[in-house]
Amino acid sequence: GRSRVVYEIKVKGNFSAKLNATNVVLKIPCPSNTAKCSLKPHQGKAKYNPGQNAIIWKMKKFPGDESYTLKGEVRMVASIEDKTWSRPPITMEFQVPMFTASGLHVRFMKVFERNNYETVKWVRYMTRAGQYQIRI
C-alpha cells in the first residue's frame, strides 16, 4: 500500500492589501496511521497534532492579496489492511478587522435617549470565519 502523503496547500487572501487577517488557523487532516511528519510553511508555524490527526498551521498576520504555501510530507505506519482514507475537509479560522465580507457599511445612526447619552462616532467592523471548510 501507500506509505506517504505529500501536501502542498496554498492560501490566498481574497481581500484588500490594506487589510490583514489575524489569528489564522488551518487544520489539515492526516491519515490515522501517521508516523512522521515533515513540514515547511512559507509563513507562520505548522506542526502535526497526533490527538487531532491533523496538521495545525498558524499565522498571526495574513496580509490581503498575499498567498502563502505549506509544503509537507507525512509518513505512515505500514498496516495489514489497506483501507482507503476518507480525506476529511480542511478547516480554517480567521478574523479580518475593519472588513465586511457582505460590503455592508453603517452610514449614519441616530440615538434617541432622554438621559443626554453621549455618542461616540466610531464603528468597528469585524469579519470572522464561521464554519469554513474545503474538500481535498
Side-chain angles (χ1 to χ4, degrees), residues 75-109:
R75 296 251 176 223
M76 297 178 289
V77 176
S79 61
I80 298 166
E81 55 185 69
D82 191 23
K83 64 178 186 179
T84 57
W85 178 43
S86 66
R87 285 195 236 159
I90 295 173
T91 58
M92 184 175 186
E93 297 173 25
F94 59 90
Q95 296 178 348
V96 185
M98 301 310 290
F99 175 72
T100 57
S102 65
L104 183 73
H105 291 280
V106 176
R107 296 285 180 224
F108 71 93
M109 182 183 343

Side-chain angles (χ1 to χ4, degrees), residues 117-136:
Y117 179 76
E118 289 292 319
T119 60
V120 178
K121 293 182 180 181
W122 190 80
V123 175
R124 181 177 183 198
Y125 299 104
M126 176 68 75
T127 298
R128 284 193 179 107
Q131 189 74 11
Y132 191 85
Q133 298 181 342
I134 187 161
R135 294 268 170 203
I136 51 175

Side-chain angles (χ1 to χ4, degrees), residues 17-132:
K18 296 175 184 175
L19 299 171
N20 290 305
T22 57
N23 303 324
V24 180
V25 179
L26 277 87
K27 183 179 169 189
I28 304 143
C30 295
S32 57
N33 60 339
T34 298
K36 188 178 178 186
C37 194
S38 62
L39 303 166
K40 291 179 188 158
H42 183 240
Q43 175 76 9
K45 295 179 181 179
K47 67 178 186 175
Y48 175 67
N49 184 327
Q52 298 182 38
N53 282 335
I55 297 165
I56 309 296
W57 183 17
K58 295 181 180 181
M59 293 172 270
K60 289 181 182 167
K61 197 172 177 183
F62 193 117
D65 262 355
E66 288 287 323
S67 59
Y68 296 118
T69 307
L70 169 73
K71 293 183 180 184
E73 181 178 275
V74 170
R75 296 251 176 223
M76 297 178 289
V77 176
S79 61
I80 298 166
E81 55 185 69
D82 191 23
K83 64 178 186 179
T84 57
W85 178 43
S86 66
R87 285 195 236 159
I90 295 173
T91 58
M92 184 175 186
E93 297 173 25
F94 59 90
Q95 296 178 348
V96 185
M98 301 310 290
F99 175 72
T100 57
S102 65
L104 183 73
H105 291 280
V106 176
R107 296 285 180 224
F108 71 93
M109 182 183 343
K110 287 187 179 181
V111 177
F112 296 103
E113 180 97 17
R114 292 179 192 238
N115 301 5
N116 291 335
Y117 179 76
E118 289 292 319
T119 60
V120 178
K121 293 182 180 181
W122 190 80
V123 175
R124 181 177 183 198
Y125 299 104
M126 176 68 75
T127 298
R128 284 193 179 107
Q131 189 74 11
Y132 191 85

